[in-house]
Amino acid sequence: MKNRNEEMKVISDMNHFFGESMIPLIEIIREEYDIKHKVDDKTGEYIYEKKPGNKRRSKIKLQPTEDDIITLEKIQERLSGKKGFIDFFRFSEGEYANKDFKGIELSFKLSRDYNYYTQRMMQIGNFSNLFPVISIKKGFIISEHDLINLVNELRKDNSSIAIRITDSYLEGYIALLEEHLTERDFIMLDIRNQHVDSKFIELEDFQELETDAYKIILNSPRSRNYKNGDYENLEFTKKIDNKVAIEYIDYDFDGFGDFGGLKDDLPSESGGNGKGAALGLIYLKEKNAFYSIVNYDTNMGMQGYENVRSEVLKRLGLLDSDNDCVTIKRIKNMEETFGNWATWNNLTLTRYIHQQATK
């Protein structure tokens, strides 16, 4: 998950389900800061101002600096002692649709300054339960010399290291991975949004990799191309094929990772005036599929979630037969307001984590 507000709320709310069998992989795209306010140099008291249109005065916020960054501290706090993989996220031009880079200034800087990227990676070693993830993909190939140096530097302060590599680059790094990773480390083969059945050759190569490191396959099965209104209504959607959650066992991999029903996407410029189809996705582990509920009236926009909620509650026998789902409980407790796009992304991810952890 990326360190956006709703996904971070899910980590805080669901950290008790994390453990050795479920470790979140967090892609850092933005900073969090320790907010400081202006004080009087003589008295040390806060200075207040009254902004136009406001009746009450408020403290004057200071512009944050590098010294005020608390991104990793906040993630460790939300994890509450549980382990987490940290990927300081980089992206290439044209990889995502975001054009104005609002909200991802950190990721933009990391993508264009390798020295700053390695500098931030080194900070992960200050947190005993956070593990660094070195990502190798199109536009961000790391030379063998630089990769060995980075691994050796990270190993000084980290008990475990992960290398995340897209399938098309695996062959060029096999010898290095076999030689420099240990039984405490992780190799994550990322097939991106490709279907697992189409990558059987690459998966067999990964299977044959001679290493004691944990082998993990990563997949993003929900396409960014589909809009909410493209999904089926009142049926298990065929547009998200979560087969990797089963297939990884057939290849004797140690685990799998995905986006929990969310898109592998970056924040984009706002638009649509709140219009669009309201979509609810409810994962059911026994079918390894997402039940899709859509209100197709785009003019209703987020108001359509009242209908989505109603349809969920009609199907409790299917979606919450054990009456123990934290997501369904939240949906039941909705009154007067029924959430927005971010709310239902939160619910999708919360449900997915609960089902994978308990079923």
Side-chain angles (χ1 to χ4, degrees):
M1 60 191 80
K2 294 177 173 62
N3 68 325
R4 292 172 287 210
N5 289 337
E6 290 301 326
E7 284 146 288
M8 293 302 94
K9 288 179 184 177
V10 172
I11 286 181
S12 297
D13 294 339
M14 302 295 285
N15 58 45
H16 54 289
F17 289 109
F18 299 149
E20 294 302 320
S21 63
M22 181 182 291
I23 304 175
L25 194 166
I26 303 163
E27 298 174 340
I28 307 296
I29 61 173
R30 65 183 182 96
E31 297 285 24
E32 290 190 73
Y33 295 94
D34 182 15
I35 303 299
K36 295 181 178 178
H37 299 87
K38 191 172 183 178
V39 297
D40 187 286
D41 292 335
K42 295 181 180 180
T43 66
E45 296 180 351
Y46 290 116
I47 299 175
Y48 291 80
E49 65 177 352
K50 183 185 290 186
K51 295 181 179 179
N54 291 345
K55 296 181 179 180
R56 301 180 62 180
R57 298 183 308 154
S58 59
K59 297 176 184 176
I60 301 174
K61 289 184 180 180
L62 294 176
Q63 188 69 22
T65 68
E66 288 273 332
D67 293 335
D68 298 321
I69 294 173
I70 53 171
T71 305
L72 295 178
E73 286 89 342
K74 292 297 291 184
I75 288 174
Q76 177 173 254
E77 178 184 314
R78 293 183 181 103
L79 285 169
S80 189
K82 301 297 179 65
K83 296 176 180 178
F85 291 108
I86 300 296
D87 184 345
F88 275 102
F89 192 74
R90 301 187 291 168
F91 64 95
S92 57
E93 186 175 353
E95 186 176 358
Y96 294 91
N98 189 311
K99 301 299 182 185
D100 58 5
F101 306 119
K102 184 178 180 181
I104 56 171
E105 291 85 358
L106 170 62
S107 197
F108 186 82
K109 183 176 181 179
L110 292 167
S111 302
R112 283 143 185 82
D113 188 340
Y114 179 74
N115 289 331
Y116 186 66
Y117 170 72
T118 58
Q119 175 187 329
R120 297 304 302 274
M121 290 285 284
M122 296 303 168
Q123 296 173 0
I124 300 172
N126 297 324
F127 305 89
S128 60
N129 61 322
L130 303 183
F131 304 140
V133 178
I134 304 169
S135 188
I136 299 171
K137 62 179 181 177
K138 183 179 180 181
F140 300 99
I141 307 304
I142 304 176
S143 71
E144 181 174 326
H145 176 267
D146 286 342
L147 183 55
I148 292 172
N149 284 344
L150 183 54
V151 167
N152 289 338
E153 286 299 313
L154 289 171
R155 200 173 295 288
K156 293 178 182 178
D157 296 312
N158 294 276
S159 59
S160 299
I161 296 168
I163 293 182
R164 176 181 184 176
I165 184 168
T166 52
D167 58 278
S168 56
Y169 297 108
L170 176 64
E171 184 176 356
Y173 288 89
I174 285 178
L176 187 153
L177 295 173
E178 291 181 337
E179 181 178 354
H180 290 277
L181 296 187
T182 74
E183 70 279 357
R184 300 188 307 274
D185 299 325
F186 298 79
I187 305 174
M188 301 176 176
L189 185 71
D190 194 346
I191 63 173
R192 305 297 297 266
N193 61 354
Q194 300 166 100
H195 193 278
V196 64
D197 288 343
S198 71
K199 309 305 294 183
F200 66 93
I201 295 177
E202 291 83 350
L203 296 183
E204 289 177 353
D205 290 340
F206 189 43
Q207 184 181 33
E208 294 171 2
L209 190 70
E210 295 182 3
T211 178
D212 292 326
Y214 295 97
K215 294 179 182 178
I216 311 295
I217 180 171
L218 304 181
N219 190 207
S220 49
R222 182 177 172 184
S223 172
R224 296 196 297 266
N225 297 327
Y226 292 128
K227 298 179 180 178
N228 286 2
D230 295 330
Y231 284 84
E232 306 91 332
N233 185 36
L234 303 181
E235 60 181 277
F236 288 99
T237 179
K238 296 179 175 61
K239 291 181 169 58
I240 305 176
D241 191 333
N242 218 47
K243 196 173 183 180
V244 69
I246 297 173
E247 290 282 295
Y248 85 96
I249 297 175
D250 296 338
Y251 287 94
D252 295 321
F253 297 150
D254 297 289
F256 73 96
D258 55 40
F259 286 84
L262 304 187
K263 297 178 183 179
D264 171 21
D265 209 352
L266 291 174
S268 59
E269 57 268 36
S270 59
N273 298 318
K275 303 300 181 182
L279 170 67
L281 292 171
I282 309 292
Y283 180 73
L284 200 65
K285 187 173 182 179
E286 65 185 62
K287 290 184 175 293
N288 189 35
F290 289 87
Y291 193 77
S292 174
I293 303 171
V294 189
N295 183 65
Y296 290 115
D297 187 345
T298 57
N299 288 322
M300 291 185 67
M302 293 180 292
Q303 294 180 0
Y305 279 117
E306 181 176 3
N307 172 259
V308 173
R309 172 185 180 268
S310 176
E311 295 296 343
V312 169
L313 299 184
K314 291 176 184 177
R315 291 162 178 80
L316 296 181
L318 171 66
L319 301 177
D320 191 21
S321 58
D322 294 329
N323 193 30
D324 64 349
C325 178
V326 292
T327 293
I328 300 298
K329 182 178 180 180
R330 283 177 55 189
I331 293 173
K332 287 179 179 178
N333 291 337
M334 287 179 172
E335 295 180 2
E336 296 184 7
T337 59
F338 304 95
N340 54 30
W341 322 117
T343 303
W344 284 80
N345 279 340
N346 180 310
L347 292 170
T348 295
L349 183 57
T350 297
R351 166 74 177 206
Y352 188 79
I353 291 172
H354 184 262
Q355 286 274 305
Q356 291 289 12
T358 63
K359 304 301 180 182

